[in-house]
Amino acid sequence: RSAFLQGENPALTLLSFAPPSLCAPLLLSLPPTVTHLDVPPLFRSRFVLGGYRQVGQPWQRYLLSLLQLHNDSLTVWSPLLAAAVVSLRFLMFAGLSADVSSLPLVFYVFSALAYLGCSAAAHLLQPHSERAHYSLFFLNNVGGAIYLYSCALALHLYSSDAAWTQSFLGKVGAIFLPAAALLSWTSCAASCYVKVHSGWTCTFHRKLYSLTTISVISPILHRLATHSWTSSPTPSLHLLQVVALSLLSAFFFSCSSPERFSPGSFDFLGHSRQLFHVLLSLCTVVQQEALFRDFLWRRPALARLFGAERLLLACTSFLWLTSCCGVAALALRSRLQNRTSTAAEA
Ligand SMILES: *[C@@H]1O[C@H](CO)[C@@H](O)[C@H](O)[C@H]1NC(C)=O
């Protein structure tokens, strides 16, 4: 029996544990997790020594591994749970109106769900093959960039204070939004490019992501810096989100802590990639709540502050950015295919 459990012959395991329940034999048919030495270098993470799923299994194995404890369980489950909370909260939210002022909020919710979904799918399914690894990784980047831009749009329109909208930087459409779009697109393209060309030896794209995040939340930073944030609940929600998002997750993102201090101890629970995704998922939930409140507060004055045409233009820019990120990722993906096929010929 223990040999079966080691997964030496999954088909036999499946047979010998025929139903009482349908799920149990399927789970037992999953091969156990392996160590970092058993997967190709592309799939290894520094200081994470175990809990890897074997590479090159059929897709349904990876889908099933949702129910297994492995090195990316939390990385997959946290965005999934956050997506469920975000959708439920959105369905319960009763403040939407059928005009252009609600559109950025709808875009925000849509892109939050898209990025959470892409992130969960990418971490769940990427060990399928090298090609899946790259493609899903690109998808994850596109999701991230779209989400960042939708944050910029929503924070700029709903959460900024009057001083921001009247300031030079904040003039809608003039500087802030194009800069945010450019930064989001560049971070997406740069991290796909770096991934294809140098593995992860270059860290330029990480700095670019940090810069993009800081720019995207600058309407909030401005508001927090100029207001007393204790008077109403929204600023403290934003503060929570800003502190957690920009400081903690940047910390985990960039320095492989805590696993670097005790390689192997955080393989299943608690390594930096998991903590990063848990924090990011929490941030999304908190930020959505803050945005809903800001939306209700700002909506009556929105068209007057920004002008209906500019609002529409801002919304169109979101669709533009989405297509541009998609095109960049597809272009790099086909380049990757060319490269792997020439490598195979050589
Ligand atoms: C977890 O294992 C998969 C392979 O199954 C690997 O691709 C991934 O990089 C690992 N994640 C971490 C954080 O080690």
Side-chain angles (χ1 to χ4, degrees), residues 202-245:
C202 164
T203 57
F204 167 72
H205 64 284
R206 294 202 167 186
K207 301 195 180 95
L208 201 59
Y209 258 117
S210 311
L211 179 68
T212 310
T213 310
I214 293 174
S215 331
V216 159
I217 58 177
S218 53
I220 294 301
L221 295 179
H222 180 264
R223 181 165 149 201
L224 290 174
T226 50
H227 274 242
S228 94
W229 50 271
T230 40
S231 53
S232 88
T234 346
S236 49
L237 279 179
H238 280 304
L239 188 73
L240 180 68
Q241 181 256 326
V242 164
V243 169
L245 181 79

Coordinates of all heavy atoms in Angstrom, one line a residue, residues 202-245:
C202 N 18.2 39.2 -14.5 CA 18.1 40.7 -14.5 C 16.9 41.1 -13.6 O 15.8 40.4 -13.6 CB 17.9 41.1 -15.9 SG 17.2 42.8 -16.1
T203 N 17.0 42.1 -12.8 CA 16.0 42.4 -11.9 C 15.3 43.8 -12.2 O 14.6 44.3 -11.4 CB 16.5 42.5 -10.4 OG1 17.5 43.4 -10.4 CG2 16.9 41.2 -9.9
F204 N 15.7 44.3 -13.4 CA 15.2 45.6 -13.8 C 13.6 45.6 -13.8 O 13.0 46.6 -13.3 CB 15.7 45.8 -15.3 CG 15.0 46.9 -16.0 CD1 15.2 48.2 -15.6 CD2 14.1 46.7 -17.0 CE1 14.6 49.3 -16.2 CE2 13.4 47.7 -17.6 CZ 13.7 49.0 -17.3
H205 N 13.0 44.5 -14.3 CA 11.5 44.5 -14.3 C 10.9 44.7 -13.0 O 9.8 45.2 -12.8 CB 11.1 43.3 -15.0 CG 11.4 42.0 -14.3 ND1 12.7 41.5 -14.3 CD2 10.6 41.3 -13.5 CE1 12.7 40.4 -13.5 NE2 11.4 40.3 -13.0
R206 N 11.6 44.2 -11.9 CA 11.0 44.3 -10.6 C 11.0 45.7 -10.1 O 10.1 46.2 -9.5 CB 11.8 43.5 -9.6 CG 11.7 42.0 -9.9 CD 12.1 41.2 -8.7 NE 11.6 39.8 -9.0 CZ 11.6 38.8 -8.1 NH1 12.1 39.0 -6.9 NH2 11.2 37.6 -8.4
K207 N 12.1 46.4 -10.4 CA 12.1 47.8 -10.0 C 11.1 48.6 -10.8 O 10.4 49.5 -10.2 CB 13.5 48.4 -10.3 CG 14.6 47.7 -9.6 CD 15.9 48.4 -9.6 CE 17.0 47.6 -8.8 NZ 17.8 46.8 -9.7
L208 N 10.9 48.2 -12.1 CA 9.9 48.9 -12.9 C 8.5 48.7 -12.3 O 7.7 49.6 -12.2 CB 10.0 48.3 -14.3 CG 9.4 49.2 -15.4 CD1 10.1 50.6 -15.4 CD2 9.5 48.5 -16.7
Y209 N 8.2 47.4 -11.8 CA 6.9 47.1 -11.2 C 6.7 48.0 -10.0 O 5.7 48.5 -9.7 CB 6.8 45.7 -10.9 CG 6.0 44.9 -11.9 CD1 6.5 43.9 -12.6 CD2 4.6 45.2 -12.0 CE1 5.8 43.2 -13.6 CE2 3.9 44.5 -13.0 CZ 4.4 43.5 -13.7 OH 3.7 42.9 -14.6
S210 N 7.8 48.1 -9.1 CA 7.7 48.9 -7.9 C 7.4 50.3 -8.3 O 6.5 51.0 -7.7 CB 8.9 48.8 -7.1 OG 9.3 47.5 -6.9
L211 N 8.1 50.8 -9.3 CA 7.8 52.2 -9.7 C 6.4 52.4 -10.2 O 5.7 53.4 -9.9 CB 8.8 52.6 -10.8 CG 8.7 54.0 -11.4 CD1 9.1 55.0 -10.3 CD2 9.5 54.2 -12.7
T212 N 5.9 51.4 -11.0 CA 4.6 51.5 -11.5 C 3.6 51.5 -10.4 O 2.6 52.3 -10.3 CB 4.3 50.3 -12.4 OG1 5.3 50.2 -13.4 CG2 3.0 50.5 -13.2
T213 N 3.8 50.6 -9.4 CA 2.8 50.5 -8.3 C 2.8 51.9 -7.5 O 1.7 52.4 -7.2 CB 3.3 49.4 -7.3 OG1 3.5 48.2 -8.0 CG2 2.2 49.2 -6.3
I214 N 4.0 52.4 -7.3 CA 4.0 53.7 -6.5 C 3.3 54.8 -7.3 O 2.5 55.6 -6.8 CB 5.4 54.1 -6.2 CG1 6.0 53.1 -5.2 CG2 5.5 55.5 -5.6 CD1 7.4 53.3 -4.9
S215 N 3.5 54.8 -8.7 CA 2.8 55.8 -9.5 C 1.3 55.6 -9.5 O 0.5 56.6 -9.4 CB 3.3 55.8 -10.9 OG 4.5 55.4 -11.0
V216 N 0.9 54.4 -9.6 CA -0.5 54.1 -9.6 C -1.2 54.5 -8.4 O -2.3 55.1 -8.4 CB -0.7 52.6 -9.9 CG1 -2.1 52.1 -9.4 CG2 -0.5 52.2 -11.3
I217 N -0.6 54.3 -7.2 CA -1.3 54.7 -6.0 C -1.0 56.2 -5.6 O -1.3 56.6 -4.5 CB -0.9 53.8 -4.8 CG1 0.6 53.7 -4.5 CG2 -1.5 52.4 -5.1 CD1 0.9 52.8 -3.4
S218 N -0.3 56.9 -6.5 CA 0.1 58.3 -6.0 C -1.1 59.2 -5.7 O -1.0 60.0 -4.8 CB 1.0 58.9 -7.0 OG 0.5 58.9 -8.3
P219 N -2.3 59.0 -6.3 CA -3.4 59.8 -5.9 C -3.7 59.6 -4.4 O -4.1 60.5 -3.6 CB -4.6 59.4 -6.7 CG -4.0 58.7 -7.9 CD -2.7 58.2 -7.5
I220 N -3.5 58.3 -3.9 CA -3.8 58.0 -2.5 C -2.7 58.5 -1.7 O -3.0 59.1 -0.6 CB -3.9 56.5 -2.4 CG1 -5.1 55.9 -3.1 CG2 -3.9 56.1 -0.9 CD1 -6.3 56.5 -2.6
L221 N -1.5 58.4 -2.1 CA -0.3 58.9 -1.3 C -0.5 60.4 -1.1 O -0.3 60.9 0.0 CB 1.0 58.6 -2.0 CG 1.3 57.1 -2.2 CD1 2.7 57.0 -2.9 CD2 1.4 56.5 -0.8
H222 N -0.9 61.1 -2.2 CA -1.1 62.5 -2.1 C -2.2 62.8 -1.1 O -2.1 63.7 -0.3 CB -1.5 63.0 -3.5 CG -1.8 64.5 -3.6 ND1 -3.1 65.0 -3.5 CD2 -1.0 65.5 -3.7 CE1 -3.0 66.3 -3.5 NE2 -1.7 66.7 -3.7
R223 N -3.3 62.1 -1.2 CA -4.4 62.3 -0.3 C -4.0 62.0 1.2 O -4.4 62.8 2.1 CB -5.6 61.5 -0.7 CG -6.8 61.6 0.2 CD -8.0 61.0 -0.5 NE -9.0 60.5 0.4 CZ -9.9 59.6 0.1 NH1 -10.0 59.1 -1.2 NH2 -10.8 59.2 0.9
L224 N -3.3 60.9 1.4 CA -2.9 60.6 2.7 C -1.9 61.6 3.3 O -1.9 61.9 4.5 CB -2.2 59.2 2.8 CG -3.1 58.0 2.5 CD1 -2.3 56.7 2.4 CD2 -4.2 57.9 3.6
A225 N -1.1 62.2 2.4 CA -0.1 63.1 2.9 C -0.7 64.5 3.2 O -0.2 65.2 4.1 CB 1.0 63.3 1.8
T226 N -1.8 64.8 2.5 CA -2.3 66.2 2.7 C -3.6 66.2 3.6 O -4.0 67.3 4.0 CB -2.7 66.8 1.4 OG1 -3.6 65.8 0.7 CG2 -1.5 67.1 0.5
H227 N -4.1 65.0 4.0 CA -5.3 65.0 4.8 C -5.1 64.4 6.1 O -4.2 63.6 6.3 CB -6.4 64.2 4.1 CG -7.2 65.0 3.1 ND1 -8.6 65.2 3.3 CD2 -6.9 65.6 2.0 CE1 -9.0 65.9 2.3 NE2 -8.0 66.2 1.5
S228 N -5.9 64.7 7.1 CA -5.9 63.9 8.3 C -6.7 62.6 7.9 O -7.9 62.7 7.5 CB -6.5 64.6 9.5 OG -7.8 64.3 9.6
W229 N -6.2 61.5 8.1 CA -6.8 60.3 7.5 C -7.7 59.6 8.6 O -8.2 58.5 8.4 CB -5.9 59.3 6.9 CG -4.7 59.0 7.8 CD1 -3.5 59.7 7.8 CD2 -4.6 58.0 8.7 NE1 -2.7 59.2 8.7 CE2 -3.3 58.1 9.3 CE3 -5.4 56.9 9.1 CZ2 -2.8 57.2 10.3 CZ3 -4.9 56.1 10.1 CH2 -3.7 56.2 10.7
T230 N -7.8 60.2 9.8 CA -8.6 59.5 10.8 C -10.1 59.9 10.7 O -10.9 59.2 11.3 CB -8.1 59.9 12.2 OG1 -7.7 61.3 12.2 CG2 -6.9 59.1 12.6
S231 N -10.4 60.9 10.0 CA -11.8 61.4 10.1 C -12.8 60.6 9.4 O -14.0 60.5 9.8 CB -11.8 62.9 9.5 OG -11.3 62.8 8.2
S232 N -12.5 59.9 8.3 CA -13.5 59.0 7.7 C -12.9 57.6 7.5 O -11.7 57.5 7.5 CB -13.9 59.6 6.3 OG -13.0 59.2 5.3
P233 N -13.7 56.6 7.2 CA -13.2 55.2 7.2 C -12.4 55.0 5.9 O -11.5 54.1 6.0 CB -14.4 54.4 7.2 CG -15.5 55.2 6.7 CD -15.2 56.6 7.1
T234 N -12.7 55.6 4.8 CA -12.0 55.3 3.6 C -10.5 55.5 3.6 O -9.7 54.6 3.2 CB -12.5 56.0 2.4 OG1 -13.7 56.6 2.7 CG2 -12.6 55.1 1.2
P235 N -10.0 56.7 4.1 CA -8.6 56.8 4.1 C -7.9 55.8 4.9 O -6.8 55.3 4.5 CB -8.4 58.2 4.7 CG -9.6 58.9 4.4 CD -10.7 57.9 4.5
S236 N -8.5 55.3 6.0 CA -7.7 54.3 6.8 C -7.7 52.9 6.0 O -6.8 52.2 6.1 CB -8.3 54.1 8.2 OG -9.7 54.0 8.1
L237 N -8.8 52.7 5.3 CA -8.8 51.5 4.4 C -7.7 51.6 3.4 O -6.9 50.7 3.1 CB -10.1 51.3 3.7 CG -11.3 50.7 4.4 CD1 -12.5 50.6 3.5 CD2 -10.9 49.3 4.9
H238 N -7.6 52.8 2.8 CA -6.5 53.0 1.8 C -5.2 52.9 2.4 O -4.2 52.3 1.8 CB -6.7 54.4 1.2 CG -7.7 54.5 0.1 ND1 -7.7 53.7 -1.0 CD2 -8.8 55.3 0.0 CE1 -8.7 54.0 -1.8 NE2 -9.4 54.9 -1.2
L239 N -5.1 53.4 3.6 CA -3.8 53.4 4.3 C -3.3 51.9 4.5 O -2.2 51.5 4.3 CB -3.8 54.1 5.6 CG -2.4 54.3 6.3 CD1 -1.6 55.3 5.5 CD2 -2.6 54.7 7.7
L240 N -4.3 51.1 5.0 CA -4.0 49.7 5.2 C -3.5 49.1 4.0 O -2.5 48.4 3.9 CB -5.3 49.1 5.7 CG -5.3 47.6 6.0 CD1 -4.5 47.3 7.2 CD2 -6.7 47.0 6.2
Q241 N -4.2 49.4 2.9 CA -3.9 48.8 1.6 C -2.5 49.3 1.1 O -1.7 48.5 0.6 CB -5.0 49.1 0.6 CG -4.9 48.6 -0.7 CD -4.4 49.6 -1.7 OE1 -4.8 50.8 -1.6 NE2 -3.6 49.2 -2.7
V242 N -2.3 50.6 1.2 CA -1.0 51.1 0.7 C 0.2 50.5 1.5 O 1.1 50.1 0.9 CB -1.0 52.6 0.8 CG1 0.4 53.2 0.7 CG2 -1.9 53.2 -0.2
V243 N 0.0 50.5 2.8 CA 1.1 50.0 3.7 C 1.4 48.5 3.3 O 2.5 48.1 3.1 CB 0.8 50.2 5.2 CG1 1.8 49.4 6.0 CG2 0.8 51.6 5.5
A244 N 0.3 47.7 3.3 CA 0.4 46.3 3.1 C 1.0 46.1 1.7 O 1.9 45.4 1.4 CB -0.9 45.6 3.3
L245 N 0.3 46.8 0.7 CA 0.7 46.5 -0.7 C 2.1 46.9 -1.0 O 2.9 46.1 -1.4 CB -0.3 47.3 -1.6 CG 0.0 47.1 -3.1 CD1 -0.5 45.7 -3.6 CD2 -0.6 48.2 -3.9

